[in-house]
Amino acid sequence: MTDQMRRIALARRPEGQPVPDDFLLERGPVPEPAAGEVLVQVTHHSLDPYMRGRMDDAGSYAASLSIGETMIAQGVGVVLASRAEGFAEGDSVTGMTGWASHAVLRGGELRKLDSRVPATTALGVLGMPGFTAWQALREYGRPKAGETLVIAAATGPVGAMVGQLAKAQGLRTVAIAGGDEKCKLALDKFGFDAAIDHRAHGDAASLRKALAEVCPDGVDIYWENVGGKVLEAVMPLMNIGGRVPVCGTIAWYGGGASDKLPQVWRSILTKRLSVNGFIIFDHWDAFPDFLDEMTPKVAGGEIAYLEDITDGLDKGPETFIAMLKGGNTGKTIIKV
Ligand SMILES: NC(=O)c1ccc[n+]([C@@H]2O[C@H](COP(=O)([O-])OP(=O)(O)OC[C@H]3O[C@@H](n4cnc5c(N)ncnc54)[C@H](OP(=O)(O)O)[C@@H]3O)[C@@H](O)[C@H]2O)c1
């Protein structure tokens, strides 16, 4: 094959927030599939906050990337050559392709895409982020009609799905998002009842005051996506018996966990809260049920979603760095 494979590798471990020099674009021959393997031409790959953790050496819930290894990502693409049963040239598939133009994966590591919806939905609304929202809201949020839910990063793929699912179950939904445009999206596109711009509030006390105004009956579910100032603002507003599904703490992914944590911890006691950390990878068994329920709703327009697609594999590093700071509007995707 004359084509070259391009991939973005981890060049070195970031200190704090990643910078472009932490990544390296490499070129090489397109790999050949061995028996049982499939060669995929990647058309799009996902960028997700969890990838920041994989760049560190510190032990976490998943293995670190090695220096020189291709950055991890789920991708979607088309089969170029197959030596695996059940896959043929031209099939649309998804799997963990990495930030790369081509990937060779075992047949068992790939899934064929549903033609009722665009391929890129497998990376967001009908992929890991959407599934995270669907699974953990029912298991750890335990929503009840009439309750109030608060969520930050509300226009991202997790937040938008949590908001819409909670709203459909009769909850009052309150979005926290960065900037006017995202607040407007939260209200108009994702149906939140209220939206607050966290960037307009310099400290937790100011944000809490604004939140208290739009949560007159307190907060029953705080879906934790960000940590930091937002966590500090919301916790004292929790109602007794509230639930806090702990999904992510992106405000701290570059370091700097707040020294206000002890105050937050006390709210867990005084409000008798249920705080559940979870990693969606432990729940894959339920993924087929999620797809069965949500694919027709996405295809039929009942569930709205937004994708932020950047053209060019080489744009991955800068797009990823921007996403970690809120530069994305919707699910962040690279068109390879
Ligand atoms: N536990 C799991 O298994 C699991 C699975 C999937 C995702 N997650 C976590 O879920 C969270 C959302 O993921 P996503 O893919 O939907 O991300 P996303 O919303 O597409 O992107 C991250 C967003 O976080 C917000 N943000 C960044 N820094 C912030 C800060 N200091 N304060 C407040 N908001 C900040 C920004 O939104 P604004 O501009 O609106 O502030 C940014 O757009 C992440 O923490 C992620 O790690 C966890």
Side-chain angles (χ1 to χ4, degrees):
M1 284 172 206
T2 53
D3 242 18
Q4 275 212 318
M5 169 171 166
R6 292 166 301 131
R7 67 186 188 100
I8 305 275
L10 177 65
R12 63 179 191 193
R13 304 210 181 276
E15 284 175 24
Q17 294 292 350
V19 296
D21 283 350
D22 298 333
F23 305 86
L24 191 64
L25 173 63
E26 297 211 312
R27 293 169 198 275
V30 173
E32 298 279 348
E37 291 182 339
V38 177
L39 171 63
V40 179
Q41 172 129 46
V42 183
T43 59
H44 300 81
H45 76 74
S46 180
L47 289 177
D48 297 271
Y50 78 83
M51 296 164 184
R52 171 64 190 85
R54 301 295 177 92
M55 299 172 78
D56 288 336
D57 208 3
S60 181
Y61 58 88
S64 303
L65 291 163
S66 310
I67 302 296
E69 194 174 346
T70 304
M71 287 293 299
I72 187 171
Q74 187 190 348
V76 294
V78 178
V79 172
L80 283 184
S82 173
R83 295 188 61 196
E85 209 175 307
F87 293 92
E89 197 181 324
D91 283 347
S92 289
V93 293
T94 183
M96 297 303 288
T97 60
W99 300 20
S101 60
H102 299 78
V104 165
L105 292 164
R106 298 202 62 79
E109 296 169 331
L110 287 170
R111 176 169 65 83
K112 282 194 202 169
L113 293 175
D114 192 318
S115 59
R116 288 175 291 175
V117 285
T120 49
T121 58
L123 305 177
V125 65
L126 290 173
M128 184 277 285
F131 176 52
T132 298
W134 180 87
Q135 174 63 22
L137 182 63
R138 61 183 191 156
E139 187 163 347
Y140 304 119
R142 300 187 295 278
K144 290 186 236 9
E147 290 187 334
T148 298
L149 172 141
V150 172
I151 187 164
T155 62
V158 174
M161 181 68 104
V162 168
Q164 291 179 87
L165 292 173
K167 183 74 194 162
Q169 291 171 69
L171 279 80
R172 175 171 174 74
T173 53
V174 175
I176 299 175
D180 283 347
E181 188 201 345
K182 288 190 182 180
C183 286
K184 198 167 170 346
L185 269 171
L187 297 171
D188 298 345
K189 190 168 177 77
F190 299 122
F192 281 89
D193 294 298
I196 292 182
D197 175 7
H198 65 85
R199 297 190 196 285
H201 297 276
D203 58 27
S206 163
L207 180 58
R208 188 179 306 135
K209 193 161 172 287
L211 268 169
E213 280 168 22
V214 295
C215 301
D217 300 325
V219 179
D220 300 291
I221 303 173
Y222 169 52
W223 179 288
E224 173 64 304
N225 262 348
V226 301
K229 180 178 73 183
V230 176
L231 170 64
E232 209 187 313
V234 178
M235 287 300 262
L237 302 178
M238 293 298 297
N239 290 329
I240 288 172
R243 282 85 64 207
V244 185
V246 181
C247 180
T249 54
I250 195 167
W252 296 325
Y253 287 0
S258 166
D259 58 2
K260 303 281 169 48
L261 208 53
Q263 288 174 21
V264 168
W265 194 248
R266 184 156 172 76
S267 298
I268 299 173
L269 168 72
T270 57
K271 303 292 176 64
R272 291 81 137 180
L273 303 180
S274 299
V275 180
N276 282 98
F278 65 90
I279 299 296
I280 199 60
F281 306 149
D282 299 332
H283 299 265
W284 281 125
D285 286 357
F287 190 67
D289 293 340
F290 161 73
L291 285 183
D292 284 349
E293 182 182 325
M294 300 309 290
T295 305
K297 292 187 178 180
V298 171
E302 199 179 320
I303 291 283
Y305 65 96
L306 188 63
E307 295 175 336
D308 188 338
I309 302 181
T310 300
D311 207 338
L313 183 77
D314 57 318
K315 297 290 193 306
E318 65 193 67
T319 308
F320 179 63
I321 291 165
M323 182 259 290
L324 290 174
K325 298 181 203 150
N328 61 312
T329 303
K331 168 66 207 156
T332 313
I333 293 173
I334 293 291
K335 183 164 183 274
V336 174

